[in-house]
Amino acid sequence: MGRHAATPEPEPGPRPDPAAEAAREPGPAAEVAGAPERAPSTHVGHGHGHDVVLPAGERRRARILLTAIVVPLLLATVAGLLILWPRGETIAGTVSMTAEGTSFERARITAVDLDADPAIRAVLLTGPGTGAEIPVGAPPEVLSQPVPVGATIQVIFDRAGLEDGAPFIFVDYVRDVPLLWLVAVYVVGVAAVARWRGLAAMVGLGASLVIIGTFVLPALMSGTSPLLVALVGSSAMMFLSVYLAHGVSIRTTTALLGTFAGLAVTTLLALWSADATHLIGTGSEEGYTVSGLFPEMSLRAMLVCGFVIAGLGALNDVTITQASAVWELHGADPTAKRRSVFGRAMRIGRDHIASTVYTLAFAYVGTALPMLLAMALFDRSLGALLTSGALAEEIVRTLVSSIGLILAIPITTAIAAALVRTSRS
């Protein structure tokens, strides 16, 4: 009996306090003691679909403070759009791409013979002589790549070429159908993974593109200050994209304030760097084109405008993440001091900084690889190569956007931490 006697069970002790357990967790906890209701998802990071869970009094205070700051910014943005909006006829679309006696037509390739001249034969799909087989002249760089039979191409018809038998010249491939399929796959993928939130983000992207097409470009063509256009246009795009993608809430409004702060930093850096490095905006062929079409426009101001707009997407991404981190940490432990919340949120922010340091740089290298390859061919020092006009513009753009993005993380974290109110246990 002694060996098999039942061991007496220990007396039940006090049950651990859930709020205390949450406060001891190294990361954000999922429960808030005494919260009136529970959000379906409260993960720190990119899941920003729900507002923070806060007591009614603190939620009301945060909303009042945020509204007092954001509403004037919204009114200033609307006023800027009304004042700077181009009125009357603009010159957009007024320059013809073809000279008299020429026109763009479509054709379908039927045969390719590299030994013949012209090497391409196609059936004309539009214009006079539709259905006839025509010879199409093509430059060597096109013929050096495989030319697929059956592909639809765009050609230019020059009546003056009828005399020498070469009136049709290859311009480009027609790629609208595969692009539409790619867009459709993208939309389906976003809808399947992100559901309504992803579709709302695409609506925000579409609205931002409308702002660029109907306000930014026409205003620049009408001679409005590029810097003012960039600031007002960026502000309007941020309001649309942030609230459409993430909804109107305490955390998204906090992130919007951080985005505006980062935008201000980026603008100041862009102004200083363009002047300090003596950039004149002619580092690309498009710069010379704009200079010829709009001789009264400051190319440096246009360059600054591009700097400001370039980093908006990445800027909004980091501010949303940091705002969510601060409010989730505060919701998990309402008794934590602001300094503690700031420090814990910045640990998340440092990881984000580490992952974004190379994001913009890699994006540029990928798009500018042909230019980098061509410039590396010349016998010049690395310093001379990196400080040349074409590369210097892109380096400054990347650095300005990256610095604004990096500084936006502590700024957003500080704004969010200043808004939270430490409550007593």
Side-chain angles (χ1 to χ4, degrees), residues 226-252:
L227 183 58
L228 289 178
V229 172
L231 290 176
V232 174
S234 298
S235 177
M237 287 187 283
M238 283 299 96
F239 272 108
L240 288 171
S241 59
V242 169
Y243 281 138
L244 283 174
H246 304 286
V248 180
S249 66
I250 291 175
R251 74 177 72 204
T252 52

Side-chain angles (χ1 to χ4, degrees), residues 14-405:
R15 298 177 64 85
D17 182 10
E21 290 294 320
R24 285 195 291 268
E25 290 292 330
E31 298 290 340
V32 181
E37 60 179 320
R38 170 81 173 138
S41 174
T42 55
H43 295 288
V44 174
H46 291 76
H48 320 300
H50 302 281
D51 204 354
V52 291
V53 179
L54 295 173
E58 186 171 358
R59 188 163 58 247
R60 188 182 310 111
R61 169 183 172 273
R63 286 174 177 170
I64 291 173
L65 289 174
L66 290 171
T67 301
I69 301 173
V70 170
V71 168
L73 291 173
L74 177 60
L75 294 177
T77 301
V78 173
L81 288 173
L82 293 176
I83 294 172
L84 300 179
W85 197 276
R87 291 167 175 79
E89 295 293 330
T90 67
I91 61 175
T94 58
V95 178
S96 176
M97 292 188 64
T98 58
E100 185 177 355
T102 62
S103 62
F104 286 110
E105 308 296 345
R106 289 191 177 193
R108 181 178 294 110
I109 298 176
T110 56
V112 178
D113 184 0
L114 298 180
D115 295 327
D117 188 22
I120 298 176
R121 299 196 67 83
V123 173
L124 195 61
L125 301 178
T126 62
T130 298
E133 189 175 60
I134 58 171
V136 178
E141 57 268 22
V142 174
L143 298 177
S144 64
Q145 302 294 325
V147 179
V149 175
T152 303
I153 59 175
Q154 187 179 56
V155 298
I156 188 168
F157 171 67
D158 186 2
R159 295 183 183 277
L162 291 172
E163 299 178 358
D164 53 14
F168 294 97
I169 304 298
F170 177 93
V171 176
D172 201 355
Y173 287 100
V174 176
R175 52 182 67 92
D176 48 3
V177 173
L179 283 177
L180 288 175
W181 274 111
L182 189 60
V183 170
V185 172
Y186 173 72
V187 172
V188 171
V190 170
V193 177
R195 300 183 181 178
W196 291 111
R197 186 66 60 188
L199 293 177
M202 286 192 293
V203 172
L205 173 62
S208 299
L209 295 178
V210 169
I211 290 292
I212 293 177
T214 60
F215 169 70
V216 174
L217 296 181
L220 290 174
M221 291 180 182
S222 63
T224 308
S225 167
L227 183 58
L228 289 178
V229 172
L231 290 176
V232 174
S234 298
S235 177
M237 287 187 283
M238 283 299 96
F239 272 108
L240 288 171
S241 59
V242 169
Y243 281 138
L244 283 174
H246 304 286
V248 180
S249 66
I250 291 175
R251 74 177 72 204
T252 52
T253 304
T254 306
L256 186 64
L257 288 181
T259 302
F260 274 109
L263 187 64
V265 171
T266 302
T267 302
L268 294 176
L269 282 172
L271 287 170
W272 176 83
S273 59
D275 183 65
T277 56
H278 306 292
L279 296 177
I280 57 177
T282 56
S284 64
E285 183 180 348
E286 292 77 11
Y288 285 102
T289 302
V290 171
S291 177
L293 295 174
F294 308 98
E296 72 284 352
M297 181 180 294
S298 169
L299 292 185
R300 179 175 293 175
M302 174 69 69
L303 198 64
V304 171
C305 176
F307 289 173
V308 172
I309 296 177
L312 283 182
L315 185 63
N316 175 239
D317 176 61
V318 298
T319 55
I320 283 287
T321 299
Q322 286 308 110
S324 293
V326 170
W327 285 110
E328 291 290 354
L329 289 168
H330 173 62
D333 183 10
T335 63
K337 294 182 179 180
R338 291 186 176 92
R339 180 177 297 180
S340 174
V341 173
F342 177 84
R344 294 170 66 186
M346 278 304 299
R347 286 199 291 272
I348 300 172
R350 292 186 190 101
D351 288 339
H352 213 155
I353 290 174
S355 65
T356 54
V357 162
Y358 46 78
T359 301
L360 295 177
F362 285 175
Y364 166 67
V365 171
T367 56
L369 197 57
M371 185 187 72
L372 294 175
L373 186 63
M375 296 185 69
L377 181 65
F378 295 100
D379 182 16
R380 57 195 311 188
S381 66
L382 180 62
L385 178 66
L386 295 178
T387 56
S388 61
L391 275 183
E393 286 185 6
E394 300 303 330
I395 291 174
V396 171
R397 176 184 288 108
T398 301
L399 292 177
V400 165
S401 300
S402 299
I403 294 172
L405 184 148

